[in-house]
CSV table of all heavy atoms in Angstrom, one decimal:
chain,number,residue,atom,x,y,z
S,320,TYR,N,-45.8,-35.7,179.6
S,320,TYR,CA,-44.7,-34.8,179.7
S,320,TYR,C,-44.8,-33.5,178.9
S,320,TYR,O,-44.5,-32.4,179.3
S,320,TYR,CB,-43.4,-35.6,179.4
S,320,TYR,CG,-42.1,-34.8,179.4
S,320,TYR,CD1,-41.6,-34.4,180.6
S,320,TYR,CD2,-41.5,-34.4,178.3
S,320,TYR,CE1,-40.4,-33.7,180.7
S,320,TYR,CE2,-40.3,-33.7,178.3
S,320,TYR,CZ,-39.8,-33.3,179.5
S,320,TYR,OH,-38.7,-32.6,179.6
S,321,ALA,N,-45.3,-33.8,177.7
S,321,ALA,CA,-45.6,-32.7,176.8
S,321,ALA,C,-44.5,-31.6,176.7
S,321,ALA,O,-44.7,-30.5,176.9
S,321,ALA,CB,-46.9,-32.0,177.2
S,322,SER,N,-43.3,-32.2,176.3
S,322,SER,CA,-42.2,-31.3,176.1
S,322,SER,C,-41.8,-30.5,177.3
S,322,SER,O,-41.3,-29.4,177.3
S,322,SER,CB,-42.7,-30.3,175.0
S,322,SER,OG,-41.6,-29.4,174.7
S,323,GLY,N,-42.2,-31.1,178.5
S,323,GLY,CA,-41.8,-30.4,179.7
S,323,GLY,C,-42.8,-29.4,180.2
S,323,GLY,O,-42.5,-28.6,181.2
S,324,ARG,N,-43.9,-29.3,179.5
S,324,ARG,CA,-44.9,-28.2,179.8
S,324,ARG,C,-46.1,-28.6,180.5
S,324,ARG,O,-46.9,-27.8,180.9
S,324,ARG,CB,-45.3,-27.5,178.5
S,324,ARG,CG,-44.3,-26.5,178.1
S,324,ARG,CD,-44.8,-25.7,176.9
S,324,ARG,NE,-43.7,-24.8,176.4
S,324,ARG,CZ,-42.8,-25.3,175.7
S,324,ARG,NH1,-42.7,-26.5,175.3
S,324,ARG,NH2,-41.8,-24.4,175.3
S,325,ALA,N,-46.3,-30.0,180.7
S,325,ALA,CA,-47.5,-30.5,181.3
S,325,ALA,C,-47.3,-30.3,182.9
S,325,ALA,O,-47.2,-31.3,183.6
S,325,ALA,CB,-47.8,-31.9,180.9
S,326,PHE,N,-47.3,-29.1,183.3
S,326,PHE,CA,-47.0,-28.8,184.7
S,326,PHE,C,-48.2,-29.2,185.6
S,326,PHE,O,-49.3,-29.1,185.2
S,326,PHE,CB,-46.8,-27.3,184.9
S,326,PHE,CG,-45.5,-26.8,184.2
S,326,PHE,CD1,-45.6,-25.7,183.5
S,326,PHE,CD2,-44.4,-27.5,184.3
S,326,PHE,CE1,-44.5,-25.2,182.8
S,326,PHE,CE2,-43.2,-27.0,183.7
S,326,PHE,CZ,-43.3,-25.8,182.9
S,327,MET,N,-47.8,-29.7,186.8
S,327,MET,CA,-48.8,-30.0,187.8
S,327,MET,C,-49.0,-28.7,188.7
S,327,MET,O,-48.1,-28.2,189.4
S,327,MET,CB,-48.4,-31.1,188.7
S,327,MET,CG,-48.5,-32.5,188.0
S,327,MET,SD,-50.2,-32.9,187.5
S,327,MET,CE,-50.0,-32.9,185.7
S,328,ARG,N,-50.2,-28.1,188.6
S,328,ARG,CA,-50.5,-26.9,189.3
S,328,ARG,C,-51.4,-27.2,190.4
S,328,ARG,O,-52.3,-28.1,190.3
S,328,ARG,CB,-51.1,-25.8,188.4
S,328,ARG,CG,-50.2,-25.4,187.2
S,328,ARG,CD,-50.9,-24.5,186.2
S,328,ARG,NE,-50.0,-23.9,185.2
S,328,ARG,CZ,-49.6,-24.5,184.1
S,328,ARG,NH1,-50.1,-25.7,183.8
S,328,ARG,NH2,-48.8,-23.9,183.3
S,329,SER,N,-51.5,-26.3,191.4
S,329,SER,CA,-52.4,-26.5,192.5
S,329,SER,C,-53.8,-26.3,192.0
S,329,SER,O,-54.0,-25.4,191.2
S,329,SER,CB,-52.1,-25.5,193.6
S,329,SER,OG,-53.2,-25.4,194.5
S,330,PRO,N,-54.8,-27.2,192.4
S,330,PRO,CA,-56.2,-27.0,191.9
S,330,PRO,C,-56.7,-25.6,192.3
S,330,PRO,O,-57.5,-25.1,191.5
S,330,PRO,CB,-56.9,-28.1,192.7
S,330,PRO,CG,-55.9,-29.1,193.1
S,330,PRO,CD,-54.6,-28.4,193.3
S,331,ALA,N,-56.3,-25.0,193.4
S,331,ALA,CA,-56.7,-23.7,193.7
S,331,ALA,C,-56.4,-22.7,192.6
S,331,ALA,O,-57.1,-21.8,192.3
S,331,ALA,CB,-56.2,-23.3,195.0
S,332,GLN,N,-55.2,-22.8,192.1
S,332,GLN,CA,-54.7,-21.9,191.0
S,332,GLN,C,-55.6,-22.1,189.7
S,332,GLN,O,-56.0,-21.1,189.1
S,332,GLN,CB,-53.3,-22.2,190.6
S,332,GLN,CG,-52.8,-21.2,189.6
S,332,GLN,CD,-51.4,-21.6,188.9
S,332,GLN,OE1,-50.7,-22.5,189.5
S,332,GLN,NE2,-51.1,-21.0,187.8
S,333,LEU,N,-55.9,-23.3,189.4
S,333,LEU,CA,-56.6,-23.6,188.1
S,333,LEU,C,-58.0,-23.1,188.1
S,333,LEU,O,-58.5,-22.8,187.1
S,333,LEU,CB,-56.6,-25.1,187.9
S,333,LEU,CG,-55.3,-25.8,187.6
S,333,LEU,CD1,-55.4,-27.3,187.7
S,333,LEU,CD2,-54.7,-25.3,186.3
S,334,THR,N,-58.6,-23.0,189.3
S,334,THR,CA,-60.0,-22.6,189.3
S,334,THR,C,-60.3,-21.2,189.7
S,334,THR,O,-61.4,-20.7,189.8
S,334,THR,CB,-60.8,-23.5,190.3
S,334,THR,OG1,-60.1,-23.6,191.5
S,334,THR,CG2,-61.0,-24.9,189.7
S,335,ASP,N,-59.2,-20.4,189.9
S,335,ASP,CA,-59.3,-19.0,190.2
S,335,ASP,C,-58.9,-18.2,189.0
S,335,ASP,O,-57.7,-18.0,188.8
S,335,ASP,CB,-58.4,-18.7,191.4
S,335,ASP,CG,-58.5,-17.2,191.8
S,335,ASP,OD1,-59.1,-16.4,191.1
S,335,ASP,OD2,-58.0,-16.8,192.9
S,336,PRO,N,-59.9,-17.7,188.2
S,336,PRO,CA,-59.5,-17.1,187.0
S,336,PRO,C,-58.7,-15.8,187.2
S,336,PRO,O,-58.0,-15.4,186.3
S,336,PRO,CB,-60.8,-16.8,186.3
S,336,PRO,CG,-61.8,-16.9,187.4
S,336,PRO,CD,-61.3,-17.8,188.4
S,337,THR,N,-58.8,-15.2,188.3
S,337,THR,CA,-58.1,-13.9,188.5
S,337,THR,C,-56.6,-14.2,188.8
S,337,THR,O,-55.8,-13.3,188.5
S,337,THR,CB,-58.7,-13.1,189.7
S,337,THR,OG1,-58.5,-13.9,190.9
S,337,THR,CG2,-60.1,-12.7,189.4
S,338,LYS,N,-56.3,-15.3,189.4
S,338,LYS,CA,-54.9,-15.6,189.7
S,338,LYS,C,-54.2,-16.6,188.8
S,338,LYS,O,-53.0,-16.8,188.8
S,338,LYS,CB,-54.8,-16.0,191.2
S,338,LYS,CG,-55.1,-14.9,192.1
S,338,LYS,CD,-54.7,-15.3,193.5
S,338,LYS,CE,-54.9,-14.2,194.5
S,338,LYS,NZ,-55.1,-14.7,195.9
S,339,CYS,N,-55.1,-17.4,188.1
S,339,CYS,CA,-54.5,-18.5,187.4
S,339,CYS,C,-53.3,-18.2,186.5
S,339,CYS,O,-52.3,-18.9,186.5
S,339,CYS,CB,-55.6,-19.1,186.5
S,339,CYS,SG,-55.2,-20.5,185.6
S,340,GLY,N,-53.5,-17.1,185.8
S,340,GLY,CA,-52.4,-16.7,184.8
S,340,GLY,C,-51.2,-15.9,185.4
S,340,GLY,O,-50.2,-15.7,184.8
S,341,THR,N,-51.4,-15.5,186.7
S,341,THR,CA,-50.4,-14.6,187.3
S,341,THR,C,-49.7,-15.2,188.5
S,341,THR,O,-48.7,-14.6,188.9
S,341,THR,CB,-51.1,-13.2,187.6
S,341,THR,OG1,-52.2,-13.5,188.5
S,341,THR,CG2,-51.5,-12.5,186.4
S,342,THR,N,-50.3,-16.2,189.2
S,342,THR,CA,-49.8,-16.6,190.4
S,342,THR,C,-49.5,-18.1,190.3
S,342,THR,O,-50.4,-18.9,190.6
S,342,THR,CB,-50.7,-16.3,191.6
S,342,THR,OG1,-51.2,-15.0,191.4
S,342,THR,CG2,-50.1,-16.5,192.9
S,343,PRO,N,-48.3,-18.5,190.0
S,343,PRO,CA,-48.1,-20.0,189.9
S,343,PRO,C,-48.0,-20.6,191.2
S,343,PRO,O,-47.3,-20.1,192.1
S,343,PRO,CB,-46.7,-20.0,189.1
S,343,PRO,CG,-46.1,-18.7,189.4
S,343,PRO,CD,-47.2,-17.7,189.6
S,344,ILE,N,-48.6,-21.8,191.4
S,344,ILE,CA,-48.4,-22.6,192.6
S,344,ILE,C,-48.1,-24.0,192.1
S,344,ILE,O,-48.9,-24.7,191.6
S,344,ILE,CB,-49.8,-22.6,193.4
S,344,ILE,CG1,-50.2,-21.2,193.7
S,344,ILE,CG2,-49.5,-23.4,194.7
S,344,ILE,CD1,-51.6,-21.1,194.3
S,345,GLY,N,-46.9,-24.4,192.3
S,345,GLY,CA,-46.4,-25.7,191.9
S,345,GLY,C,-45.8,-26.5,193.0
S,345,GLY,O,-46.0,-26.2,194.2
S,346,THR,N,-45.2,-27.6,192.7
S,346,THR,CA,-44.5,-28.4,193.7
S,346,THR,C,-43.0,-28.3,193.6
S,346,THR,O,-42.3,-29.0,194.3
S,346,THR,CB,-44.8,-29.9,193.4
S,346,THR,OG1,-44.3,-30.2,192.0
S,346,THR,CG2,-46.3,-30.3,193.4
S,347,GLY,N,-42.5,-27.3,192.8
S,347,GLY,CA,-41.1,-27.3,192.5
S,347,GLY,C,-40.2,-26.8,193.6
S,347,GLY,O,-40.6,-26.4,194.7
S,348,PRO,N,-38.9,-26.8,193.3
S,348,PRO,CA,-37.9,-26.5,194.4
S,348,PRO,C,-37.9,-24.9,194.7
S,348,PRO,O,-37.4,-24.5,195.8
S,348,PRO,CB,-36.6,-26.8,193.7
S,348,PRO,CG,-36.8,-26.8,192.2
S,348,PRO,CD,-38.3,-27.3,192.1
S,349,PHE,N,-38.5,-24.1,193.9
S,349,PHE,CA,-38.6,-22.7,194.2
S,349,PHE,C,-40.0,-22.2,194.0
S,349,PHE,O,-40.8,-22.9,193.4
S,349,PHE,CB,-37.7,-21.9,193.2
S,349,PHE,CG,-36.2,-22.2,193.3
S,349,PHE,CD1,-35.6,-23.3,192.6
S,349,PHE,CD2,-35.4,-21.5,194.1
S,349,PHE,CE1,-34.3,-23.6,192.7
S,349,PHE,CE2,-34.1,-21.7,194.3
S,349,PHE,CZ,-33.5,-22.8,193.6
S,350,LYS,N,-40.3,-21.1,194.5
S,350,LYS,CA,-41.6,-20.5,194.3
S,350,LYS,C,-41.4,-19.0,193.9
S,350,LYS,O,-40.4,-18.4,194.2
S,350,LYS,CB,-42.5,-20.5,195.5
S,350,LYS,CG,-41.8,-20.2,196.8
S,350,LYS,CD,-42.7,-20.6,198.0
S,350,LYS,CE,-42.0,-20.1,199.3
S,350,LYS,NZ,-42.8,-20.4,200.5
S,351,MET,N,-42.4,-18.5,193.2
S,351,MET,CA,-42.3,-17.2,192.7
S,351,MET,C,-42.3,-16.1,193.8
S,351,MET,O,-43.1,-16.2,194.7
S,351,MET,CB,-43.5,-16.9,191.7
S,351,MET,CG,-43.3,-15.6,191.0
S,351,MET,SD,-44.7,-15.4,189.8
S,351,MET,CE,-45.8,-14.6,190.9
S,352,SER,N,-41.4,-15.1,193.6
S,352,SER,CA,-41.5,-14.0,194.5
S,352,SER,C,-41.9,-12.7,193.8
S,352,SER,O,-42.6,-11.9,194.3
S,352,SER,CB,-40.3,-13.8,195.4
S,352,SER,OG,-39.3,-13.0,194.7
S,353,ALA,N,-41.5,-12.6,192.5
S,353,ALA,CA,-41.9,-11.4,191.8
S,353,ALA,C,-41.7,-11.8,190.3
S,353,ALA,O,-40.8,-12.5,189.9
S,353,ALA,CB,-41.1,-10.2,192.1
S,354,TRP,N,-42.6,-11.2,189.4
S,354,TRP,CA,-42.4,-11.4,188.0
S,354,TRP,C,-43.0,-10.3,187.2
S,354,TRP,O,-43.9,-9.6,187.6
S,354,TRP,CB,-43.0,-12.8,187.5
S,354,TRP,CG,-44.5,-12.7,187.3
S,354,TRP,CD1,-45.5,-12.6,188.2
S,354,TRP,CD2,-45.1,-12.8,186.0
S,354,TRP,NE1,-46.7,-12.7,187.6
S,354,TRP,CE2,-46.5,-12.7,186.2
S,354,TRP,CE3,-44.7,-12.8,184.6
S,354,TRP,CZ2,-47.5,-12.7,185.2
S,354,TRP,CZ3,-45.6,-12.8,183.6
S,354,TRP,CH2,-47.0,-12.8,183.9
S,355,SER,N,-42.4,-10.1,186.0
S,355,SER,CA,-43.1,-9.3,185.0
S,355,SER,C,-42.8,-10.2,183.7
S,355,SER,O,-42.2,-11.2,183.8
S,355,SER,CB,-42.5,-7.9,184.8
S,355,SER,OG,-41.2,-8.1,184.3
S,356,GLN,N,-43.3,-9.7,182.5
S,356,GLN,CA,-43.1,-10.5,181.4
S,356,GLN,C,-41.6,-10.7,181.0
S,356,GLN,O,-41.2,-11.6,180.3
S,356,GLN,CB,-43.8,-9.9,180.2
S,356,GLN,CG,-45.2,-10.4,180.0
S,356,GLN,CD,-46.2,-9.7,180.8
S,356,GLN,OE1,-45.9,-8.8,181.6
S,356,GLN,NE2,-47.5,-10.0,180.8
S,357,THR,N,-40.8,-9.8,181.6
S,357,THR,CA,-39.4,-9.8,181.3
S,357,THR,C,-38.4,-10.2,182.4
S,357,THR,O,-37.2,-10.1,182.2
S,357,THR,CB,-39.0,-8.4,180.6
S,357,THR,OG1,-39.4,-7.5,181.6
S,357,THR,CG2,-39.6,-8.2,179.3
S,358,GLU,N,-39.0,-10.4,183.6
S,358,GLU,CA,-38.1,-10.7,184.7
S,358,GLU,C,-38.8,-11.6,185.7
S,358,GLU,O,-40.0,-11.4,185.9
S,358,GLU,CB,-37.7,-9.4,185.4
S,358,GLU,CG,-36.4,-9.5,186.2
S,358,GLU,CD,-35.8,-8.2,186.6
S,358,GLU,OE1,-35.4,-7.4,185.7
S,358,GLU,OE2,-35.9,-7.9,187.8
S,359,LEU,N,-38.1,-12.6,186.2
S,359,LEU,CA,-38.7,-13.5,187.2
S,359,LEU,C,-37.7,-13.7,188.4
S,359,LEU,O,-36.6,-14.0,188.1
S,359,LEU,CB,-39.1,-14.8,186.6
S,359,LEU,CG,-39.5,-15.9,187.6
S,359,LEU,CD1,-40.9,-15.7,188.1
S,359,LEU,CD2,-39.5,-17.3,186.9
S,360,THR,N,-38.3,-13.5,189.6
S,360,THR,CA,-37.4,-13.9,190.7
S,360,THR,C,-38.1,-15.0,191.5
S,360,THR,O,-39.3,-14.9,191.8
S,360,THR,CB,-37.2,-12.7,191.7
S,360,THR,OG1,-36.7,-11.6,190.9
S,360,THR,CG2,-36.3,-13.0,192.8
S,361,VAL,N,-37.4,-16.1,191.7
S,361,VAL,CA,-37.9,-17.2,192.5
S,361,VAL,C,-37.1,-17.4,193.8
S,361,VAL,O,-35.9,-17.1,193.8
S,361,VAL,CB,-37.9,-18.5,191.7
S,361,VAL,CG1,-38.9,-18.4,190.5
S,361,VAL,CG2,-36.5,-18.9,191.2
S,362,VAL,N,-37.8,-17.8,194.8
S,362,VAL,CA,-37.1,-18.1,196.1
S,362,VAL,C,-37.3,-19.5,196.5
S,362,VAL,O,-38.2,-20.2,196.1
S,362,VAL,CB,-37.6,-17.1,197.2
S,362,VAL,CG1,-37.3,-15.7,196.9
S,362,VAL,CG2,-39.1,-17.3,197.4
S,363,LYS,N,-36.4,-19.9,197.3
S,363,LYS,CA,-36.3,-21.3,197.8
S,363,LYS,C,-37.7,-21.8,198.4
S,363,LYS,O,-38.3,-21.1,199.2
S,363,LYS,CB,-35.3,-21.4,198.9
S,363,LYS,CG,-35.1,-22.8,199.4
S,363,LYS,CD,-33.9,-22.8,200.4
S,363,LYS,CE,-33.5,-24.2,200.9
S,363,LYS,NZ,-32.2,-24.2,201.5
S,364,ASN,N,-38.2,-23.0,198.0
S,364,ASN,CA,-39.3,-23.6,198.6
S,364,ASN,C,-38.8,-24.4,199.8
S,364,ASN,O,-38.2,-25.5,199.6
S,364,ASN,CB,-40.0,-24.5,197.5
S,364,ASN,CG,-41.1,-25.4,198.1
S,364,ASN,OD1,-41.5,-25.2,199.3
S,364,ASN,ND2,-41.6,-26.3,197.3
Side-chain angles (χ1 to χ4, degrees):
Chain S
Y320 176 74
S322 183
R324 282 188 183 76
F326 296 133
M327 288 296 116
R328 296 170 171 89
S329 165
Q332 182 195 344
L333 294 170
T334 50
D335 181 348
T337 59
K338 289 191 177 159
C339 180
T341 53
T342 315
I344 305 169
T346 58
F349 295 88
K350 48 190 181 177
M351 185 178 87
S352 84
W354 82 287
S355 69
Q356 271 82 2
T357 50
E358 201 168 292
L359 169 74
T360 305
V361 294
V362 295
K363 181 175 185 168
N364 170 9

